[in-house]
Amino acid sequence: MKRLFRNATLINEGRSFTASLLTSGALIEHIYEGENSFPEGLLSEVDEVIPAEGLWLLPGCIDDQVHFREPGLTHKATIESESRAAVAGGTTSFMEMPNTKPPTTSLEAWEWKMQRAAETSWANYSFFFGGSNDNADEIQRIDARRTPGLKLFLGSSTGNMLVDDKKTLERIFSETDLIIATHCEKEEIIRANREHYLATVGEEKLDVHYHPLIRSEEACYRSSSEAVELATRLDSRLHILHVSTERELSLFRNDIPLAEKKITAEVCVHHLIFTDADYDRLGNRIKWNPAVKTLRDREALRAAVRSGLVDIVATDHAPHLLSEKEGNCLTAASGGPLTQYALISMLDMAREGVFTKELVVEKMAHRPAELFAVEKRGYLREGYYADLVLIDPEGKTPVKTESIISLCGWSPFEGHTFGHRVEATYINGDCAYRAGALSEVRPSVAPLLYSRP
């Protein structure tokens, strides 16, 4: 099937320009730069013409950190439900994390997820392999062409996946050529802070405001700096996930091209939007690990996205039921749904002058593709897969409970209206979402492939 997206504003590779884009099957066939610059007669040759005047055409977002909860936690999310929410938000490819039940720490568990996604996912998919204190041999069997990398929890985690054995860490960092993606919070510091506040404040008073004091800046920095030291000493490829503090930014560089970086960083949308002042209003709905911290931290993270210290913007989409979010800062679940509204929240920040729309596309599509070496995705280029998002820059997106697609059924943005709207999403050339509704037929999705030496 051939589609012509006529006279859209393409946002791609640092530019915004008028063009028409032709797809053929799963691929982008041609980009005709300029208004009505396609050949005469093409309109009669294509199967569908999509008038895109006034709309932005972007490459689909590639989210390098989601938790879709399957297997074992399907009462609050599934690969199917959360990939549908992702598609509605303009994300066309995802990399899912291993802390499910059972955790993805064996090839058997990893293959199960791959098969399940092939059967149910609405977006292109891949799955991190989880490291543990006792699976170093299994890690050596990973197919680097099909796996984004190895995920290590260097702080407390769900799924009993804390990796704290020094010999194991040394072996993993020295033996694997995979990208090592880390959750960095120092467990000893968290534990000491917890005991301090239990003793001085009392458990009944430990509401969510104490969460960033227990999972503190020091806990994040100490763990991140130890990971950087280990990776530097052993010449490993390290990617630190959800950086949340100003102090951690001193560990990264922006004076070399991404292709030459051995140590890279990701920041998540919620750490770019919220601050600890928002706990008064939203409470446990914005309780994440690492915690949302100060205004100074948020502003530093925003500046780091602009400067290139931070390479990727992702979601850490991690749904829980609202009932699981009840309790104090020690008992309420950490994490929340973000994928459906991540792109438009970033574009709203661009409209406010925090970023440019070109930078949003770079950090949410181009850079993930480049950093992980994803084959033929993340850009609007001839011969690349037609993973496309149409944005109405004048459209409104009110966040209502009934419009939430994530299985958990809530959002920290409920009651807010965004100033952009996802008009349509295409996966490998198939329309998956249009005009506020998912397609009746699941799109033809594919596993992500990685071009690694």
Side-chain angles (χ1 to χ4, degrees):
M1 183 173 184
K2 287 182 178 286
R3 286 190 176 94
L4 181 68
F5 296 81
R6 188 182 66 198
N7 295 333
T9 298
L10 273 61
I11 304 176
N12 189 54
E13 302 192 61
R15 300 175 59 214
S16 295
F17 56 97
T18 299
S20 297
L21 184 144
L22 177 67
T23 66
S24 179
L27 302 177
I28 298 170
E29 182 173 309
H30 202 81
I31 296 173
Y32 302 95
E33 187 165 347
E35 186 173 352
N36 293 322
S37 58
F38 46 85
E40 290 185 25
L42 182 62
L43 295 179
S44 63
E45 298 174 6
V46 300
D47 300 284
E48 182 181 11
V49 176
I50 299 169
E53 292 83 358
L55 301 179
W56 296 346
L57 186 60
L58 284 54
C61 296
I62 301 174
D63 194 341
D64 81 330
Q65 189 186 180
V66 301
H67 301 264
F68 284 177
R69 305 302 191 194
E70 190 172 5
L73 301 164
T74 53
H75 65 286
K76 53 190 167 189
T78 66
I79 291 171
E80 180 176 14
S81 68
E82 306 316 292
S83 62
R84 285 162 64 92
V87 164
T91 291
T92 55
S93 300
F94 65 82
M95 305 173 198
E96 207 258 356
M97 290 295 162
N99 52 327
T100 47
K101 293 184 178 180
T104 318
T105 53
S106 69
L107 288 180
E108 181 182 15
W110 181 85
E111 289 286 4
W112 186 93
K113 279 190 175 182
M114 291 289 285
Q115 182 60 37
R116 186 64 172 165
E119 295 168 353
T120 67
S121 181
W122 279 62
N124 304 310
Y125 55 88
S126 66
F127 298 92
F128 277 90
F129 194 86
S132 70
N133 281 328
D134 56 7
N135 74 339
D137 289 334
E138 192 85 341
I139 290 169
Q140 300 306 311
R141 301 168 57 202
I142 296 172
D143 183 352
R145 282 268 294 155
R146 302 172 66 207
T147 312
L150 179 68
K151 171 67 179 290
L152 298 182
F153 286 90
L154 305 183
S156 60
S157 76
T158 56
N160 193 30
M161 291 185 62
L162 175 63
V163 183
D164 57 358
D165 182 83
K166 291 185 178 180
K167 290 184 179 179
T168 298
L169 284 172
E170 292 264 349
R171 181 180 175 189
I172 290 173
F173 272 74
S174 63
E175 291 184 358
T176 186
D177 292 326
L178 293 167
I179 292 174
I180 301 171
T182 55
H183 177 130
C184 290
E185 291 182 285
K186 188 73 171 176
E187 175 63 18
E188 291 85 349
I189 294 174
I190 294 170
R191 190 179 301 119
N193 289 340
R194 182 189 302 120
E195 295 306 313
H196 169 75
Y197 286 107
L198 281 171
T200 58
V201 178
E203 185 170 356
E204 67 279 359
K205 294 183 179 180
L206 286 180
D207 64 19
V208 70
H209 293 81
Y210 287 91
H211 187 56
L213 302 179
I214 292 174
R215 304 186 82 99
S216 62
E217 174 198 76
E218 179 65 20
C220 294
Y221 176 78
R222 184 84 65 82
S223 182
S224 292
S225 61
E226 289 175 359
V228 168
E229 186 279 327
L230 194 59
T232 301
R233 175 162 50 86
L234 298 175
D235 197 31
S236 310
R237 179 64 184 84
L238 175 66
H239 182 56
I240 297 185
L241 302 169
H242 42 47
V243 174
S244 63
T245 71
E246 178 184 31
R247 191 176 175 193
E248 288 171 281
L249 297 172
S250 65
L251 300 170
F252 308 111
R253 298 177 61 181
N254 61 356
D255 60 340
I256 55 175
L258 180 61
E260 298 176 18
K261 285 187 179 184
K262 297 283 285 189
I263 296 170
T264 53
E266 170 215 274
V267 68
C268 291
V269 172
H270 49 279
H271 290 123
L272 296 172
I273 294 178
F274 301 114
T275 74
D276 54 4
D278 294 307
Y279 289 128
D280 289 340
R281 178 172 57 93
L282 293 167
N284 289 335
R285 288 188 176 220
I286 60 166
K287 180 176 183 279
W288 275 277
N289 297 338
V292 169
K293 297 185 175 68
T294 67
L295 175 63
R296 178 172 176 169
D297 290 310
R298 189 194 72 176
E299 295 307 296
L301 294 173
R302 289 178 170 187
V305 171
R306 293 191 294 266
S307 72
L309 277 174
V310 165
D311 303 285
I312 287 177
V313 173
T315 66
D316 195 11
H317 174 84
H320 297 282
L321 300 184
L322 273 179
S323 60
E324 296 170 321
K325 297 287 286 180
E326 296 175 357
N328 63 30
C329 74
L330 302 180
T331 59
S334 294
L338 273 175
T339 189
Q340 189 173 344
Y341 303 106
L343 174 58
I344 56 175
S345 67
M346 289 293 293
L347 291 173
D348 271 18
M349 280 189 272
R351 177 172 287 169
E352 295 166 6
V354 177
F355 311 115
T356 65
K357 59 185 184 297
E358 294 81 8
L359 185 62
V360 170
V361 172
E362 176 185 322
K363 297 298 183 181
M364 300 186 80
H366 300 338
R367 290 300 195 190
E370 186 178 348
L371 191 153
F372 288 93
V374 181
E375 287 191 357
K376 296 171 63 176
R377 302 189 192 276
Y379 293 87
L380 302 181
R381 291 175 177 171
E382 294 171 5
Y384 272 53
Y385 290 104
D387 296 339
L388 311 171
V389 183
L390 275 174
I391 295 290
D392 184 348
E394 302 302 325
K396 304 297 182 185
T397 304
V399 183
K400 303 176 181 178
T401 303
E402 57 269 25
S403 66
I404 294 167
I405 297 173
S406 290
L407 188 59
C408 66
W410 65 275
S411 168
F413 300 121
E414 283 178 80
H416 179 72
T417 297
F418 289 103
H420 294 78
R421 182 174 67 240
V422 176
E423 192 67 25
T425 305
Y426 293 80
I427 311 287
N428 299 312
D430 288 348
C431 184
Y433 177 85
R434 182 185 288 174
L438 289 152
S439 303
E440 293 183 3
V441 178
R442 188 170 68 100
S444 297
V445 301
L448 299 183
L449 293 177
Y450 301 93
S451 299
R452 297 199 176 107

PDB file of all heavy atoms in Angstrom, residues 68-94:
ATOM      1  N   PHE A  68       6.096  -2.905  31.245  1.00  0.00           N
ATOM      2  CA  PHE A  68       4.767  -3.301  30.798  1.00  0.00           C
ATOM      3  C   PHE A  68       4.178  -4.449  31.614  1.00  0.00           C
ATOM      4  O   PHE A  68       3.105  -4.945  31.316  1.00  0.00           O
ATOM      5  CB  PHE A  68       4.791  -3.642  29.304  1.00  0.00           C
ATOM      6  CG  PHE A  68       4.857  -2.428  28.400  1.00  0.00           C
ATOM      7  CD1 PHE A  68       4.957  -2.586  27.021  1.00  0.00           C
ATOM      8  CD2 PHE A  68       4.830  -1.136  28.911  1.00  0.00           C
ATOM      9  CE1 PHE A  68       5.016  -1.473  26.173  1.00  0.00           C
ATOM     10  CE2 PHE A  68       4.894  -0.025  28.077  1.00  0.00           C
ATOM     11  CZ  PHE A  68       4.980  -0.193  26.700  1.00  0.00           C
ATOM     12  N   ARG A  69       4.927  -4.897  32.651  1.00  0.00           N
ATOM     13  CA  ARG A  69       4.399  -5.714  33.743  1.00  0.00           C
ATOM     14  C   ARG A  69       4.035  -7.155  33.399  1.00  0.00           C
ATOM     15  O   ARG A  69       3.467  -7.861  34.235  1.00  0.00           O
ATOM     16  CB  ARG A  69       3.159  -5.037  34.357  1.00  0.00           C
ATOM     17  CG  ARG A  69       3.362  -3.609  34.826  1.00  0.00           C
ATOM     18  CD  ARG A  69       4.448  -3.501  35.850  1.00  0.00           C
ATOM     19  NE  ARG A  69       4.471  -2.185  36.496  1.00  0.00           N
ATOM     20  CZ  ARG A  69       5.473  -1.748  37.234  1.00  0.00           C
ATOM     21  NH1 ARG A  69       6.549  -2.505  37.391  1.00  0.00           N
ATOM     22  NH2 ARG A  69       5.429  -0.563  37.806  1.00  0.00           N
ATOM     23  N   GLU A  70       4.321  -7.592  32.192  1.00  0.00           N
ATOM     24  CA  GLU A  70       3.966  -8.955  31.799  1.00  0.00           C
ATOM     25  C   GLU A  70       5.233  -9.767  31.577  1.00  0.00           C
ATOM     26  O   GLU A  70       6.137  -9.287  30.883  1.00  0.00           O
ATOM     27  CB  GLU A  70       3.127  -8.926  30.518  1.00  0.00           C
ATOM     28  CG  GLU A  70       2.502 -10.265  30.170  1.00  0.00           C
ATOM     29  CD  GLU A  70       1.515 -10.180  29.011  1.00  0.00           C
ATOM     30  OE1 GLU A  70       1.377  -9.090  28.406  1.00  0.00           O
ATOM     31  OE2 GLU A  70       0.870 -11.202  28.706  1.00  0.00           O
ATOM     32  N   PRO A  71       5.330 -10.952  32.201  1.00  0.00           N
ATOM     33  CA  PRO A  71       4.308 -11.702  32.932  1.00  0.00           C
ATOM     34  C   PRO A  71       4.272 -11.355  34.421  1.00  0.00           C
ATOM     35  O   PRO A  71       5.162 -10.671  34.929  1.00  0.00           O
ATOM     36  CB  PRO A  71       4.768 -13.148  32.745  1.00  0.00           C
ATOM     37  CG  PRO A  71       6.266 -13.040  32.722  1.00  0.00           C
ATOM     38  CD  PRO A  71       6.554 -11.747  31.988  1.00  0.00           C
ATOM     39  N   GLY A  72       3.221 -11.855  35.074  1.00  0.00           N
ATOM     40  CA  GLY A  72       3.156 -11.875  36.519  1.00  0.00           C
ATOM     41  C   GLY A  72       2.462 -10.727  37.191  1.00  0.00           C
ATOM     42  O   GLY A  72       2.038 -10.845  38.340  1.00  0.00           O
ATOM     43  N   LEU A  73       2.330  -9.590  36.498  1.00  0.00           N
ATOM     44  CA  LEU A  73       1.721  -8.406  37.102  1.00  0.00           C
ATOM     45  C   LEU A  73       0.622  -7.846  36.206  1.00  0.00           C
ATOM     46  O   LEU A  73       0.405  -6.641  36.135  1.00  0.00           O
ATOM     47  CB  LEU A  73       2.798  -7.346  37.364  1.00  0.00           C
ATOM     48  CG  LEU A  73       3.936  -7.788  38.288  1.00  0.00           C
ATOM     49  CD1 LEU A  73       5.120  -6.838  38.174  1.00  0.00           C
ATOM     50  CD2 LEU A  73       3.459  -7.875  39.732  1.00  0.00           C
ATOM     51  N   THR A  74      -0.073  -8.755  35.533  1.00  0.00           N
ATOM     52  CA  THR A  74      -1.007  -8.345  34.475  1.00  0.00           C
ATOM     53  C   THR A  74      -2.324  -7.792  35.009  1.00  0.00           C
ATOM     54  O   THR A  74      -3.171  -7.399  34.216  1.00  0.00           O
ATOM     55  CB  THR A  74      -1.288  -9.516  33.529  1.00  0.00           C
ATOM     56  OG1 THR A  74      -1.724 -10.651  34.294  1.00  0.00           O
ATOM     57  CG2 THR A  74      -0.028  -9.901  32.759  1.00  0.00           C
ATOM     58  N   HIS A  75      -2.485  -7.734  36.320  1.00  0.00           N
ATOM     59  CA  HIS A  75      -3.677  -7.065  36.863  1.00  0.00           C
ATOM     60  C   HIS A  75      -3.587  -5.548  36.662  1.00  0.00           C
ATOM     61  O   HIS A  75      -4.607  -4.856  36.711  1.00  0.00           O
ATOM     62  CB  HIS A  75      -3.851  -7.390  38.345  1.00  0.00           C
ATOM     63  CG  HIS A  75      -2.755  -6.861  39.214  1.00  0.00           C
ATOM     64  ND1 HIS A  75      -1.498  -7.431  39.251  1.00  0.00           N
ATOM     65  CD2 HIS A  75      -2.714  -5.806  40.077  1.00  0.00           C
ATOM     66  CE1 HIS A  75      -0.739  -6.759  40.100  1.00  0.00           C
ATOM     67  NE2 HIS A  75      -1.441  -5.766  40.616  1.00  0.00           N
ATOM     68  N   LYS A  76      -2.358  -5.038  36.410  1.00  0.00           N
ATOM     69  CA  LYS A  76      -2.215  -3.591  36.254  1.00  0.00           C
ATOM     70  C   LYS A  76      -1.661  -3.161  34.906  1.00  0.00           C
ATOM     71  O   LYS A  76      -1.687  -1.975  34.578  1.00  0.00           O
ATOM     72  CB  LYS A  76      -1.342  -3.018  37.359  1.00  0.00           C
ATOM     73  CG  LYS A  76       0.029  -3.661  37.550  1.00  0.00           C
ATOM     74  CD  LYS A  76       0.661  -3.132  38.833  1.00  0.00           C
ATOM     75  CE  LYS A  76       1.867  -3.935  39.268  1.00  0.00           C
ATOM     76  NZ  LYS A  76       2.331  -3.529  40.614  1.00  0.00           N
ATOM     77  N   ALA A  77      -1.165  -4.091  34.116  1.00  0.00           N
ATOM     78  CA  ALA A  77      -0.645  -3.746  32.791  1.00  0.00           C
ATOM     79  C   ALA A  77      -0.313  -5.015  32.036  1.00  0.00           C
ATOM     80  O   ALA A  77       0.001  -6.045  32.634  1.00  0.00           O
ATOM     81  CB  ALA A  77       0.604  -2.870  32.902  1.00  0.00           C
ATOM     82  N   THR A  78      -0.359  -4.925  30.704  1.00  0.00           N
ATOM     83  CA  THR A  78       0.090  -6.002  29.834  1.00  0.00           C
ATOM     84  C   THR A  78       0.862  -5.390  28.680  1.00  0.00           C
ATOM     85  O   THR A  78       0.791  -4.177  28.430  1.00  0.00           O
ATOM     86  CB  THR A  78      -1.082  -6.830  29.277  1.00  0.00           C
ATOM     87  OG1 THR A  78      -1.866  -5.991  28.393  1.00  0.00           O
ATOM     88  CG2 THR A  78      -1.975  -7.379  30.373  1.00  0.00           C
ATOM     89  N   ILE A  79       1.584  -6.212  27.976  1.00  0.00           N
ATOM     90  CA  ILE A  79       2.269  -5.728  26.777  1.00  0.00           C
ATOM     91  C   ILE A  79       1.259  -5.140  25.809  1.00  0.00           C
ATOM     92  O   ILE A  79       1.494  -4.077  25.211  1.00  0.00           O
ATOM     93  CB  ILE A  79       3.080  -6.871  26.132  1.00  0.00           C
ATOM     94  CG1 ILE A  79       4.267  -7.249  27.031  1.00  0.00           C
ATOM     95  CG2 ILE A  79       3.569  -6.472  24.736  1.00  0.00           C
ATOM     96  CD1 ILE A  79       5.001  -8.506  26.602  1.00  0.00           C
ATOM     97  N   GLU A  80       0.121  -5.786  25.662  1.00  0.00           N
ATOM     98  CA  GLU A  80      -0.895  -5.276  24.743  1.00  0.00           C
ATOM     99  C   GLU A  80      -1.457  -3.939  25.205  1.00  0.00           C
ATOM    100  O   GLU A  80      -1.507  -2.964  24.438  1.00  0.00           O
ATOM    101  CB  GLU A  80      -2.032  -6.281  24.586  1.00  0.00           C
ATOM    102  CG  GLU A  80      -3.118  -5.791  23.633  1.00  0.00           C
ATOM    103  CD  GLU A  80      -4.203  -6.816  23.393  1.00  0.00           C
ATOM    104  OE1 GLU A  80      -4.280  -7.806  24.146  1.00  0.00           O
ATOM    105  OE2 GLU A  80      -4.990  -6.632  22.435  1.00  0.00           O
ATOM    106  N   SER A  81      -1.889  -3.853  26.458  1.00  0.00           N
ATOM    107  CA  SER A  81      -2.544  -2.624  26.923  1.00  0.00           C
ATOM    108  C   SER A  81      -1.597  -1.434  26.889  1.00  0.00           C
ATOM    109  O   SER A  81      -1.976  -0.336  26.443  1.00  0.00           O
ATOM    110  CB  SER A  81      -3.101  -2.816  28.335  1.00  0.00           C
ATOM    111  OG  SER A  81      -2.063  -2.963  29.304  1.00  0.00           O
ATOM    112  N   GLU A  82      -0.369  -1.629  27.331  1.00  0.00           N
ATOM    113  CA  GLU A  82       0.546  -0.491  27.423  1.00  0.00           C
ATOM    114  C   GLU A  82       1.139  -0.107  26.075  1.00  0.00           C
ATOM    115  O   GLU A  82       1.432   1.071  25.840  1.00  0.00           O
ATOM    116  CB  GLU A  82       1.640  -0.782  28.444  1.00  0.00           C
ATOM    117  CG  GLU A  82       1.105  -1.186  29.815  1.00  0.00           C
ATOM    118  CD  GLU A  82      -0.056  -0.337  30.299  1.00  0.00           C
ATOM    119  OE1 GLU A  82       0.161   0.855  30.580  1.00  0.00           O
ATOM    120  OE2 GLU A  82      -1.192  -0.864  30.398  1.00  0.00           O
ATOM    121  N   SER A  83       1.295  -1.053  25.175  1.00  0.00           N
ATOM    122  CA  SER A  83       1.749  -0.691  23.832  1.00  0.00           C
ATOM    123  C   SER A  83       0.653   0.064  23.085  1.00  0.00           C
ATOM    124  O   SER A  83       0.961   0.937  22.258  1.00  0.00           O
ATOM    125  CB  SER A  83       2.205  -1.923  23.054  1.00  0.00           C
ATOM    126  OG  SER A  83       1.150  -2.846  22.871  1.00  0.00           O
ATOM    127  N   ARG A  84      -0.602  -0.235  23.370  1.00  0.00           N
ATOM    128  CA  ARG A  84      -1.702   0.554  22.796  1.00  0.00           C
ATOM    129  C   ARG A  84      -1.644   1.994  23.297  1.00  0.00           C
ATOM    130  O   ARG A  84      -1.818   2.950  22.530  1.00  0.00           O
ATOM    131  CB  ARG A  84      -3.044  -0.091  23.135  1.00  0.00           C
ATOM    132  CG  ARG A  84      -3.351  -1.343  22.335  1.00  0.00           C
ATOM    133  CD  ARG A  84      -4.436  -2.192  22.985  1.00  0.00           C
ATOM    134  NE  ARG A  84      -5.722  -1.529  23.048  1.00  0.00           N
ATOM    135  CZ  ARG A  84      -6.692  -1.613  22.122  1.00  0.00           C
ATOM    136  NH1 ARG A  84      -6.478  -2.349  21.040  1.00  0.00           N
ATOM    137  NH2 ARG A  84      -7.827  -0.983  22.263  1.00  0.00           N
ATOM    138  N   ALA A  85      -1.385   2.164  24.591  1.00  0.00           N
ATOM    139  CA  ALA A  85      -1.241   3.509  25.139  1.00  0.00           C
ATOM    140  C   ALA A  85      -0.042   4.221  24.530  1.00  0.00           C
ATOM    141  O   ALA A  85      -0.096   5.428  24.233  1.00  0.00           O
ATOM    142  CB  ALA A  85      -1.102   3.436  26.660  1.00  0.00           C
ATOM    143  N   ALA A  86       1.044   3.480  24.316  1.00  0.00           N
ATOM    144  CA  ALA A  86       2.236   4.069  23.714  1.00  0.00           C
ATOM    145  C   ALA A  86       1.951   4.586  22.309  1.00  0.00           C
ATOM    146  O   ALA A  86       2.332   5.709  21.952  1.00  0.00           O
ATOM    147  CB  ALA A  86       3.362   3.039  23.685  1.00  0.00           C
ATOM    148  N   VAL A  87       1.273   3.773  21.528  1.00  0.00           N
ATOM    149  CA  VAL A  87       0.941   4.152  20.148  1.00  0.00           C
ATOM    150  C   VAL A  87       0.053   5.401  20.137  1.00  0.00           C
ATOM    151  O   VAL A  87       0.254   6.313  19.318  1.00  0.00           O
ATOM    152  CB  VAL A  87       0.266   2.964  19.438  1.00  0.00           C
ATOM    153  CG1 VAL A  87      -0.429   3.409  18.164  1.00  0.00           C
ATOM    154  CG2 VAL A  87       1.289   1.881  19.127  1.00  0.00           C
ATOM    155  N   ALA A  88      -0.899   5.463  21.039  1.00  0.00           N
ATOM    156  CA  ALA A  88      -1.764   6.649  21.120  1.00  0.00           C
ATOM    157  C   ALA A  88      -0.976   7.890  21.486  1.00  0.00           C
ATOM    158  O   ALA A  88      -1.398   9.012  21.184  1.00  0.00           O
ATOM    159  CB  ALA A  88      -2.878   6.409  22.136  1.00  0.00           C
ATOM    160  N   GLY A  89       0.182   7.700  22.113  1.00  0.00           N
ATOM    161  CA  GLY A  89       1.012   8.830  22.490  1.00  0.00           C
ATOM    162  C   GLY A  89       2.128   9.143  21.520  1.00  0.00           C
ATOM    163  O   GLY A  89       2.926  10.047  21.768  1.00  0.00           O
ATOM    164  N   GLY A  90       2.227   8.392  20.419  1.00  0.00           N
ATOM    165  CA  GLY A  90       3.253   8.674  19.427  1.00  0.00           C
ATOM    166  C   GLY A  90       4.533   7.879  19.585  1.00  0.00           C
ATOM    167  O   GLY A  90       5.515   8.149  18.894  1.00  0.00           O
ATOM    168  N   THR A  91       4.540   6.887  20.469  1.00  0.00           N
ATOM    169  CA  THR A  91       5.697   5.993  20.595  1.00  0.00           C
ATOM    170  C   THR A  91       5.466   4.773  19.718  1.00  0.00           C
ATOM    171  O   THR A  91       4.453   4.091  19.854  1.00  0.00           O
ATOM    172  CB  THR A  91       5.908   5.574  22.058  1.00  0.00           C
ATOM    173  OG1 THR A  91       6.342   6.715  22.802  1.00  0.00           O
ATOM    174  CG2 THR A  91       6.960   4.486  22.180  1.00  0.00           C
ATOM    175  N   THR A  92       6.408   4.497  18.847  1.00  0.00           N
ATOM    176  CA  THR A  92       6.252   3.399  17.888  1.00  0.00           C
ATOM    177  C   THR A  92       7.159   2.211  18.188  1.00  0.00           C
ATOM    178  O   THR A  92       6.977   1.146  17.607  1.00  0.00           O
ATOM    179  CB  THR A  92       6.524   3.900  16.459  1.00  0.00           C
ATOM    180  OG1 THR A  92       7.819   4.520  16.411  1.00  0.00           O
ATOM    181  CG2 THR A  92       5.468   4.918  16.026  1.00  0.00           C
ATOM    182  N   SER A  93       8.129   2.380  19.087  1.00  0.00           N
ATOM    183  CA  SER A  93       9.038   1.295  19.456  1.00  0.00           C
ATOM    184  C   SER A  93       9.384   1.431  20.929  1.00  0.00           C
ATOM    185  O   SER A  93       9.557   2.542  21.436  1.00  0.00           O
ATOM    186  CB  SER A  93      10.332   1.328  18.637  1.00  0.00           C
ATOM    187  OG  SER A  93      10.086   1.204  17.253  1.00  0.00           O
ATOM    188  N   PHE A  94       9.526   0.292  21.604  1.00  0.00           N
ATOM    189  CA  PHE A  94       9.861   0.339  23.024  1.00  0.00           C
ATOM    190  C   PHE A  94      10.898  -0.712  23.376  1.00  0.00           C
ATOM    191  O   PHE A  94      11.062  -1.721  22.693  1.00  0.00           O
ATOM    192  CB  PHE A  94       8.604   0.161  23.896  1.00  0.00           C
ATOM    193  CG  PHE A  94       7.933  -1.188  23.777  1.00  0.00           C
ATOM    194  CD1 PHE A  94       8.386  -2.295  24.487  1.00  0.00           C
ATOM    195  CD2 PHE A  94       6.826  -1.344  22.954  1.00  0.00           C
ATOM    196  CE1 PHE A  94       7.765  -3.529  24.379  1.00  0.00           C
ATOM    197  CE2 PHE A  94       6.192  -2.588  22.834  1.00  0.00           C
ATOM    198  CZ  PHE A  94       6.662  -3.675  23.553  1.00  0.00           C
TER     199      PHE A  94
END
